Amino acid sequence: LDDASWLVGSWSGTAFGKQFEEAWSPPSAGSMVGYFKLYDDYASDNITIIDLLSHRLGYKAFSGDLLWYDTNYTPEEIIRRFQYVKPDNEFRNNFGYSNMGYIAAGEIISQVSGMSWDEFIKKEIFIPLKMKHSATHKKQIKNTKLLASPHFEKLNINNEVVFESLDWHQNDAINAAGSIITSSSDITNWLKLQLNRGIFEKNKVFDESISQKMWTAHNAIPKPPRKEAEATHLMSYGLGWFLRDFHGKLMVNHSGSVEGMTSQITLIPEENLAIAVFTNSTAPLASPITQKILSTYLNYDYSFDAKAYFEKRRNNVKQTIIDRKQSLGDIVNDTSASHPQSDYIGTYRSKMYGDVVVLERNKQLSIQFLPSPMLTGKLTHRHYDVFNLIWDTPRAWINEGTAHFISNAKGKVVELQLNVPNDDIWFDEPRFIKQ
């Protein structure tokens, strides 16, 4: 498995440090990426690189992710459309993990360096670190048989949790927010670079001061009420890294996921220790594996019962699916739609997202997200003007949802509201108006 490619996160922070050591703080709106604009004018005019890289834009976690989720939008188009997403908090007043910030950061790299983000990463990261089995897009991988196959957890007909494989696909538009494909041998070189604070095999890739900037707290994070956080008193986010004290030492870490893949990278700089765990499933195994390794090096007690862990995980998966179904609300029996099926057919447009089309296939209503050709589903009547949304292709992150057709005072269908319970892709952010 040494050279099997895995999906992991991105290195935009290091890229900025390597090329743009003086570009951490100037406002980004209108100067570095002229088409970057947020919903709030003050935030647009005052946002800095540090704001982008430390997730303090004022949005809830993963806001706007529907824009890159399997869409054919370019990073520029994603950034332009994100301005229509309304923030949930005040600018610089919360921690809300933002892939949009990193997509924008990748575009700034391109604008300032004169290279595409892919070219920059290859020239400034892959080549100096001898990362010969890494890429920014699947199409760059010559031997795709070496690619790990993603898997997700689902309930079978016997109500048992089983793993199912997914077609290997990549959201190209996400770029700097999470499109790196790498291997265990290559990531080892990158980890050495981090522990040596910019030095790889006696060659300076970035200045030591950049490590200090990346490992400095820029955004406070509330401590989670988890047992494994008992050895932690303070948590924050630096630039591209989560930071916390852990058994009296600095821990620098980051996790990441794409559909059917999860990963976690952990550094304990004082111990010259780096751990990278890549898994090809949605089961969060990376954390307990990392904890077990850390307990050996840092000499603290940590027991991991794999059988008990998976039993608990199966129960959690079942409960999550039940909770998501229940969040859709009870079905009101003996009701019918207030319109003939033909009235629901048409194009529904959102300034943020683009067009969603409701059409008829084999006498049944279907839905197609035009920016995302892979995102299609069937619409079956639930009650009144609410329809069940059942995806044509199994998804790791999202389950079934509902489509609610709204009529105006004259009884004409004018709007479509989507409710797809999940932990990342917010289908309720765009407002779809019938054209």
Side-chain angles (χ1 to χ4, degrees), residues 79-211:
I79 292 170
R80 289 185 184 276
R81 289 183 174 275
F82 186 57
Q83 67 179 290
Y84 299 109
V85 180
K86 187 176 181 179
D88 299 85
N89 296 277
E90 293 182 4
F91 179 52
R92 295 180 182 157
N93 199 33
N94 80 310
F95 175 82
Y97 197 95
S98 176
N99 287 309
M100 296 297 109
Y102 276 75
I103 292 175
E107 286 297 278
I108 292 172
I109 288 176
S110 179
Q111 295 258 335
V112 177
S113 70
M115 294 181 279
S116 68
W117 182 80
D118 309 80
E119 294 169 338
F120 183 92
I121 294 299
K122 181 178 180 180
K123 179 176 181 291
E124 302 292 349
I125 301 293
F126 290 164
I127 293 177
L129 299 186
K130 300 180 180 179
M131 298 176 70
K132 299 178 181 180
H133 304 285
S134 298
T136 52
H137 295 283
K138 180 185 175 184
K139 60 188 176 185
Q140 298 166 358
I141 303 295
K142 294 180 180 180
N143 188 357
T144 57
K145 291 182 179 179
L146 292 177
L147 288 172
S149 180
H151 294 75
F152 74 106
E153 299 150 295
K154 59 171 287 187
L155 292 181
N156 63 13
I157 57 175
N158 297 318
N159 204 37
E160 300 169 327
V161 177
V162 295
F163 283 100
E164 182 171 313
S165 62
L166 286 167
D167 290 336
W168 205 105
H169 65 278
Q170 183 181 9
N171 298 301
D172 289 345
I174 197 171
N175 268 7
S179 66
I180 299 286
I181 306 168
T182 192
S183 67
S184 57
S185 59
D186 280 7
I187 202 66
T188 299
N189 293 348
W190 187 76
L191 293 173
K192 290 177 180 178
L193 174 75
Q194 302 304 315
L195 289 176
N196 292 327
R197 289 146 173 93
I199 303 296
F200 177 72
E201 295 184 348
K202 298 182 180 180
N203 296 315
K204 182 178 178 181
V205 179
F206 60 83
D207 191 80
E208 183 176 351
S209 64
I210 300 305
S211 288

Side-chain angles (χ1 to χ4, degrees), residues 14 26 36 61 68-69 93 102 107 119 134 162 169 194 221 253 270 319 321 343 357 372 374 392:
T14 301
F36 182 83
W68 59 258
Y69 185 63
N93 199 33
Y102 276 75
E107 286 297 278
E119 294 169 338
S134 298
V162 295
H169 65 278
Q194 302 304 315
I221 300 175
N253 75 316
E270 295 165 69
Q319 191 60 49
I321 293 174
D343 283 3
V357 174
S372 177
M374 296 178 62
D392 292 332

Side-chain angles (χ1 to χ4, degrees), residues 31-71:
S31 58
M32 294 184 185
V33 181
Y35 45 83
F36 182 83
K37 190 178 186 305
L38 297 177
Y39 188 91
D40 179 73
D41 289 338
Y42 176 83
S44 294
D45 293 338
N46 291 275
I47 192 169
T48 68
I49 302 300
I50 289 179
D51 295 324
L52 293 176
L53 298 184
S54 60
H55 306 295
R56 58 190 195 192
L57 305 183
Y59 293 84
K60 65 181 178 182
F62 312 125
S63 189
D65 278 5
L66 185 61
L67 286 169
W68 59 258
Y69 185 63
D70 277 343
T71 67

